[in-house]
């Protein structure tokens, strides 16, 4: 087995630190990813072919890295695999950035509509004479029954109130 310099870096090593072996390669796989990696390689070693997979590597410092691996097993006409080649790309930072953006959007979505939802709750409280929790339940129930996002239901009620039709709309809830 031969590793590129990049392969050593992904594992937290430098060329010459270790002799790359199958055992070393598998020892650095996240325990939950070992079987899928082993299955991919077993399948490829049985007649050749190619495959790819997103999995985790644990480097020598114990840090988890998310990697994308693509492997090609080249077989002789007899079906015997002559050699295997492939590459591994560390996508840890890209996935971290993507996850961070998704989390920021979720937080923004949750708080971005808070004022609108609070305004709609106030309308329900005034028209129905209920507390804040009961008013929220009215809006949430309408959201579920209409299969519509809560902030959309709130926006419809606030707009209806601006047109003097909140009581009429709320009667349909």
């Amino acid at each position: 087995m031969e590793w590129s310099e990049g392969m050593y870096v992904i594992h937290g090593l430098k060329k010459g630190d270790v002799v790359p072996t199958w055992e070393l390669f598998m020892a650095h796989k996240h325990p939950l990813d070992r079987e899928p990696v082993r299955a991919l390689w077993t399948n490829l070693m049985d007649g050749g072919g190619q495959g790819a997979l997103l999995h985790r590597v644990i480097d020598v410092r114990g840090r988890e890295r998310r990697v994308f691996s693509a492997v090609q097993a080249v077989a002789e006409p007899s079906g015997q695999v002559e050699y295997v080649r492939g590459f591994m790309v560390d996508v840890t930072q890209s996935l971290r950035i993507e996850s961070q953006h998704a989390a920021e959007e979720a937080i923004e979505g949750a708080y971005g509509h808070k004022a609108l939802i609070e305004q709609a709750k106030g309308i329900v409280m005034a028209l129905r004479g209920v507390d804040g929790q009961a008013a929220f339940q009215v809006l949430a129930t309408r959201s579920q029954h209409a299969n519509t996002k809560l902030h959309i239901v709130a926006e419809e009620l606030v707009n209806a109130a601006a047109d003097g039709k909140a009581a009429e709309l709320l009667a349909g809830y």
Side-chain angles (χ1 to χ4, degrees):
M1 185 174 267
E2 292 179 33
W3 285 4
S4 67
E5 185 145 341
M7 187 76 152
Y8 282 100
V9 170
I10 287 172
H11 290 83
L13 299 164
K14 288 184 276 184
K15 195 169 187 165
D17 284 350
V18 295
V19 174
T21 63
W22 172 254
E23 291 74 22
L24 177 69
F25 177 76
M26 289 304 292
H28 282 278
K29 301 298 171 226
H30 187 282
L32 297 176
D33 294 339
R34 286 183 186 142
E35 191 49 42
V37 170
R38 190 181 327 276
L40 174 67
W41 277 78
T42 299
N43 184 46
L44 294 176
M45 296 306 288
D46 187 27
Q50 54 193 7
L53 130 100
L54 184 64
H55 60 99
R56 294 163 288 186
V57 167
I58 307 298
D59 72 12
V60 295
R61 292 184 187 97
R63 293 179 303 190
E64 183 179 299
R65 297 187 175 278
R66 298 292 306 245
V67 297
F68 172 77
S69 295
V71 183
Q72 179 182 22
V74 178
E76 298 173 347
S78 67
Q80 175 78 22
V81 172
E82 186 177 353
Y83 63 93
V84 178
R85 64 179 170 213
F87 64 89
M88 185 180 287
V89 178
D90 187 344
V91 294
T92 306
Q93 187 65 19
S94 298
L95 292 175
R96 186 176 295 128
I97 290 168
E98 187 175 311
S99 295
Q100 183 177 352
H101 286 297
E104 288 169 357
E105 287 177 9
I107 290 168
E108 183 180 308
Y111 289 105
H113 303 294
K114 186 175 181 181
L116 183 65
I117 293 167
E118 289 298 319
Q119 191 175 2
K121 276 176 44 181
I123 294 167
V124 174
M125 290 167 66
L127 293 175
R128 293 237 175 128
V130 296
D131 66 9
Q133 188 173 1
F136 181 81
Q137 191 56 51
V138 168
L139 296 171
T141 300
R142 174 65 181 163
S143 171
Q144 288 175 346
H145 288 199
N147 196 23
T148 305
K149 292 187 181 228
L150 182 62
H151 74 90
I152 302 289
V153 169
E155 183 177 27
E156 289 172 351
L157 183 57
V158 169
N159 288 340
D163 294 338
K165 298 181 181 178
E168 187 180 313
L169 181 64
L170 198 53
Y173 290 13

